[in-house]
Amino acid sequence: MTALPQPRHGSREETLISVARTLDRCTVLGPGVRAVVWVQGCPLRCHGCVAAETLPFEGGTSRTVADLTDWLCHLDGIEGVTLSGGEPFSQAAALAALLDAVRERRPDFGAMAYSGFRHEALRRGGPDRLALLERLDLLVDGPYVAARHGSLRWRGSDNQRLVPLTDRYARSLAEPDSTAGVEVSVEPDGTLSWAGVPPTPGFRRRLEDRLAARGFVLHTEARRER
Ligand code: SF4
């Protein structure tokens, strides 16, 4: 067996990940039922990005690999985790460490990530990015391009590709491309949250406008979901 490239970090369990938000269960950001980690910070500025609050590298909540590993390993009935953002490959070493730590306890844990960069560029992007790629089963790559928005499974515009990195999700990927989906939920404290890829452009702006017309203001601060 070939050893996986190792990310560069100190104490793995204490490695910090800047997190915008987490979600225990989601069915619209990858195959099956998945947990989601939205990381904080993205160097790109795609016009029409639906995750504007995750773009600054400042903010977010610093979570240790140990903390996130415990959370993921205690979730029942999930297939794996989706890493979104923000730009997961801006925190590639820490996320690779997270996947290693989770798989030591749950070896069959699936992993998928989004990136605004193309797969080919990530492969040339240095050892940390390569280390994260080597631990993923599926990558959704490329920037969001509003002019190419489509109602697509798990992605927003048709330039974005579903790149299988293992054969784990071969059956899902062989199925016809279904439409995009959004899950909206109201937390016990009254917080409205949503996850997924809107089937039409401008979803975020329309949602905010309609809520504002009813006297509600959408929270834009990064927040934890659990
Ligand atoms: S890469 Fe993703 S998070 Fe970053 S600006 Fe583009 S759509 Fe937004």
Side-chain angles (χ1 to χ4, degrees), residues 42-46 49-51 54-55 85-87 115-117 142-144 160:
C42 177
L44 304 179
R45 291 293 181 270
C46 304
C49 171
V50 293
T54 69
L55 300 186
E87 172 53 59
S115 177
F117 299 100
Y144 170 67
Q160 296 175 306

Side-chain angles (χ1 to χ4, degrees), residues 92-121:
L95 292 172
L98 173 65
L99 295 179
D100 281 350
V102 171
R103 284 173 172 154
E104 283 181 7
R105 292 161 60 178
R106 293 180 66 165
D108 195 35
F109 205 77
M112 162 182 169
Y114 285 82
S115 177
F117 299 100
R118 301 274 285 182
H119 179 221
E120 296 80 357

